[in-house]
């Protein structure tokens, strides 16, 4: 999908206008989507990227640098972070978008249909090794238990944490959002997520996929430069 499509850009302007005026998000999205005859991907794009100016400023103020995790507990919204990082390694750059509230997201919306693939291990190793460089106190993954085989994914994650000698754990929960929010305040922890509902209720947010994306682009660029020599 062409996210620079003039029609989609006009839809973005109208959607943000309605949000700035205080219109309910769901109703505003439906109205704009119907008006511009957007398909589901187009509506996903608007819903994940466009926010009111007030929301944008508040959320951006909570974003911290990767270097700021030193000595702190890092809580990961497991599927949220993992799916986006997997999309990056699958080369689906056209599905990764920069959002108005300061984080990157994918527009696939495959959360409930998630399945482990060979990219899963690559993505988890990348996430964990990246965090290890900045010496967090602990790294805790939380996966939504209603998703099929989430227990197996938690076990895979624990093994990778152990292989990197990173202090942490991976567990499943029926209430990941509330667990992340509660623990973040109790432990004064950093939360890695792009879920807007969670971002609004925690103090410090880390956008791990944005760092992975930058590293991945630099790696590809280096390979191209080497091949050109």
């Amino acid at each position: 999908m062409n996210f620079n499509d003039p029609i989609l850009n006009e839809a973005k302007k109208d959607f943000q206008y309605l949000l700035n005026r205080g219109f309910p998000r769901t109703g505003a999205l439906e109205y704009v989507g119907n008006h511009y005859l957007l398909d589901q991907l187009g509506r996903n794009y608007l819903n994940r990227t466009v926010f009111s100016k007030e929301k944008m400023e508040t959320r951006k103020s909570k974003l911290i640098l990767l270097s700021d995790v030193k000595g702190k507990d890092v809580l990961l919204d497991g599927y949220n972070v993992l799916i986006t990082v997997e999309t990056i390694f699958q080369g689906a750059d056209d599905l990764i978008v920069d959002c108005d509230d300061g984080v990157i997201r994918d527009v696939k919306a495959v959360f409930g249909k998630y399945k482990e693939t060979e990219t899963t291990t690559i993505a988890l190793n990348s996430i964990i090794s990246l965090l290890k460089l900045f010496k967090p106190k602990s790294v805790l993954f939380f996966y939504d238990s209603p998703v099929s085989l989430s227990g197996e994914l938690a076990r895979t994650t624990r093994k990778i944490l152990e292989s990197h000698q990173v202090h942490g754990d991976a567990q499943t929960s029926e209430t990941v959002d509330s667990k992340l929010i509660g623990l973040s305040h109790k432990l004064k922890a950093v939360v890695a997520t792009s879920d807007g509902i969670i971002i609004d209720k925690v103090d410090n947010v880390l956008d791990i996929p944005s760092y992975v994306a930058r590293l991945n682009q630099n790696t590809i660029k280096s390979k191209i430069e080497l091949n050109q020599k």
Side-chain angles (χ1 to χ4, degrees), residues 9 13 15 17 20 42 46 50 53-54 59 74 81 100 102 107 136 146 152 154-155 161 169 174 183 198 205 210 212:
N9 286 329
K13 292 176 185 176
F15 186 37
Y17 173 80
N20 285 335
L46 290 187
V50 182
K53 290 183 179 179
E54 180 182 2
R59 290 184 178 176
V74 179
V81 175
D100 290 346
V107 293
E152 290 189 12
R155 283 191 287 275
L161 283 166
D169 194 14
E174 292 185 357
L183 274 177
I198 298 173
V205 178
S210 69
V212 174

Side-chain angles (χ1 to χ4, degrees), residues 80-120:
N80 177 282
V81 175
L82 180 58
I83 289 172
T84 306
V85 173
E86 284 194 44
T87 302
I88 292 168
F89 281 112
Q90 288 164 359
D93 294 339
D94 56 329
L95 295 174
I96 300 295
V97 292
D98 292 311
C99 304
D100 290 346
D101 58 350
V103 300
I104 69 170
R105 296 183 177 93
D106 70 79
V107 293
K108 288 190 303 181
V110 298
F111 174 75
K113 306 170 187 175
Y114 180 83
K115 290 183 180 179
E116 278 192 60
T117 66
E118 58 185 17
T119 312
T120 302

Side-chain angles (χ1 to χ4, degrees), residues 55 58-59 62 195-203 205:
K55 188 75 72 177
T58 302
R59 290 184 178 176
K62 297 182 178 187
D195 187 315
I197 293 175
I198 298 173
I199 294 174
D200 290 338
K201 296 181 179 179
V202 301
D203 296 325
V205 178

Side-chain angles (χ1 to χ4, degrees), residues 34-225:
N34 291 345
H35 179 73
Y36 287 97
L37 303 177
L38 300 180
D39 59 15
Q40 189 58 53
L41 188 59
R43 294 172 195 238
N44 285 348
Y45 174 75
L46 290 187
N47 195 35
R48 290 171 182 255
T49 61
V50 182
F51 304 91
S52 69
K53 290 183 179 179
E54 180 182 2
K55 188 75 72 177
M56 288 161 52
E57 292 173 2
T58 302
R59 290 184 178 176
K60 284 181 178 179
S61 70
K62 297 182 178 187
L63 290 170
I64 67 168
L65 299 174
L66 186 55
S67 57
D68 292 332
V69 306
K70 184 176 181 180
K72 297 179 180 177
D73 297 296
V74 179
L75 314 177
L76 286 95
D77 186 2
Y79 283 113
N80 177 282
V81 175
L82 180 58
I83 289 172
T84 306
V85 173
E86 284 194 44
T87 302
I88 292 168
F89 281 112
Q90 288 164 359
D93 294 339
D94 56 329
L95 295 174
I96 300 295
V97 292
D98 292 311
C99 304
D100 290 346
D101 58 350
V103 300
I104 69 170
R105 296 183 177 93
D106 70 79
V107 293
K108 288 190 303 181
V110 298
F111 174 75
K113 306 170 187 175
Y114 180 83
K115 290 183 180 179
E116 278 192 60
T117 66
E118 58 185 17
T119 312
T120 302
T121 301
I122 296 171
L124 284 171
N125 272 293
S126 175
I127 293 166
I128 293 167
S129 61
L130 184 61
L131 286 169
K132 181 181 179 179
L133 288 173
F134 294 91
K135 301 178 180 179
K137 181 180 179 181
S138 69
V139 176
L140 307 171
F141 285 77
F142 295 90
Y143 295 108
D144 299 77
S145 57
V147 178
S148 178
L149 302 177
S150 58
E152 290 189 12
L153 180 57
R155 283 191 287 275
T156 298
T157 304
R158 284 194 291 271
K159 288 179 181 178
I160 295 174
L161 283 166
E162 291 171 4
S163 71
H164 286 277
Q165 296 182 320
V166 171
H167 179 63
D169 194 14
Q171 55 185 261
T172 63
S173 172
E174 292 185 357
T175 55
V176 167
D177 289 15
S178 60
K179 181 152 287 195
L180 288 169
I181 294 165
L183 274 177
S184 74
H185 294 297
K186 181 180 179 181
L187 302 175
K188 298 188 184 318
V190 173
V191 178
T193 187
S194 66
D195 187 315
I197 293 175
I198 298 173
I199 294 174
D200 290 338
K201 296 181 179 179
V202 301
D203 296 325
N204 296 301
V205 178
L206 178 64
D207 182 14
I208 290 176
S210 69
Y211 287 94
V212 174
R214 276 178 250 168
L215 286 170
N216 195 47
Q217 288 171 353
N218 289 336
T219 299
I220 292 172
K221 183 179 177 182
S222 297
K223 287 181 178 178
I224 292 173
E225 291 174 348

